[in-house]
Amino acid sequence: MTTPEPQSSAPQPSAPQSPDRIYRSPAAMAGGFLLLGIAGWLGIDAIVSGEGRTPWLALAALILLVPLVVAFTLRPAVFANQERLRIRNPFRVIVLPWGQIEALRSGYSNEAVAAGRKFQLWAVPVSLRGRKKAARREERRGADGAGRGGAFGGGLSGLSGAGGMLGGGRTAVPDGPVRAETDRIMDELRELQEAQAKSEAAQGEVTVRWAYEVVGPAVAGAVLLAILIATG
């Protein structure tokens, strides 16, 4: 009598990835749409109403400029979830598992350091103006807090104990220092990296892929424009 062989269990479906947090630059996107509108208006007008070589030059310029504008304004984005950080820069897509990231730095640019290499976060540009504005808000908040504490500090404790009327009407002061928007985003990414760096799902290899869908049309437009200028 033969014993039946144990049947292999059906493969378990892999756990779905956590949803991405997506970070973009609204100013860059607005500028990109504006530039594309201007380029399209001027280029199509030159193609339709131009004479001689003008339509061909306009077409070549559009093939060159449109991918570059998209690459530097609309394309950059940063995607973060529980497993990895994905950076979509103008010409590359970099995937960094949290376990491979050594540091997230903020100076004159925001960058991630992994495997001994630096990768700039184009979608999270440093705003020195934003930092100055946040510093001024922090100074004003500190001055307002000191003024309120000195003027009403003795009376607030008694009033709050009597009925709490002032407590209900006061605007809550946010905890922690005031931060610029891009610095706040980097703080969020650092917290996520520290929390997930040792998890099993956040391990893996650093991968870098060139965006040939952007590089190819731009190179083709540049070659066509160079040929037209050289043969003119």
Side-chain angles (χ1 to χ4, degrees):
M1 181 176 179
T2 60
T3 58
E5 296 181 0
Q7 295 182 355
S8 60
S9 59
Q12 298 295 327
S14 58
Q17 286 189 342
S18 58
D20 285 329
R21 304 180 191 179
I22 304 175
Y23 303 96
R24 295 176 181 269
S25 172
M29 296 183 67
F33 283 120
L34 179 61
L35 289 175
L36 287 176
I38 295 173
W41 173 40
L42 296 176
I44 294 175
D45 180 69
I47 292 172
V48 172
S49 59
E51 298 178 355
R53 297 163 51 87
T54 300
W56 290 103
L57 289 171
L59 178 61
L62 283 179
I63 296 175
L64 170 63
L65 292 178
V66 169
L68 293 180
V69 171
V70 172
F72 284 96
T73 59
L74 306 182
R75 176 181 169 81
V78 173
F79 305 85
N81 61 22
Q82 301 294 325
E83 292 83 28
R84 50 95 181 112
L85 178 70
R86 183 161 64 95
I87 306 169
R88 194 169 70 190
N89 281 346
F91 301 116
R92 296 190 299 175
V93 177
I94 304 108
V95 178
L96 306 175
W98 292 118
Q100 294 289 338
I101 296 179
E102 302 165 12
L104 290 165
R105 298 176 180 172
S106 295
Y108 291 104
S109 65
N110 292 316
E111 58 190 21
V113 181
R117 302 171 62 185
K118 298 178 182 179
F119 303 98
Q120 187 173 351
L121 278 64
W122 278 79
V124 190
V126 169
S127 173
L128 298 180
R129 181 181 178 184
R131 286 179 176 175
K132 292 179 180 178
K133 185 184 296 184
R136 288 195 298 268
R137 290 177 58 193
E138 179 66 17
E139 290 176 0
R140 286 198 300 268
R141 190 178 73 166
D144 292 343
R148 286 195 300 267
F152 304 106
L156 283 178
S157 59
L159 287 172
S160 61
M165 292 180 61
L166 291 181
R170 284 200 309 269
T171 302
V173 178
D175 296 333
V178 179
R179 301 277 283 166
E181 178 66 17
T182 54
D183 291 336
R184 184 188 61 78
I185 291 173
M186 292 301 291
D187 290 341
E188 290 182 5
L189 295 179
R190 290 189 188 97
E191 291 176 1
L192 193 56
Q193 191 269 336
E194 291 173 0
Q196 301 297 325
K198 295 183 179 180
S199 67
E200 184 178 354
Q203 309 305 315
E205 297 295 329
V206 174
T207 61
V208 179
R209 180 182 67 84
W210 286 95
Y212 294 106
E213 65 275 14
V214 174
V215 176
V219 171
V223 172
L224 179 58
L225 187 61
I227 292 174
L228 290 173
I229 294 175
T231 58

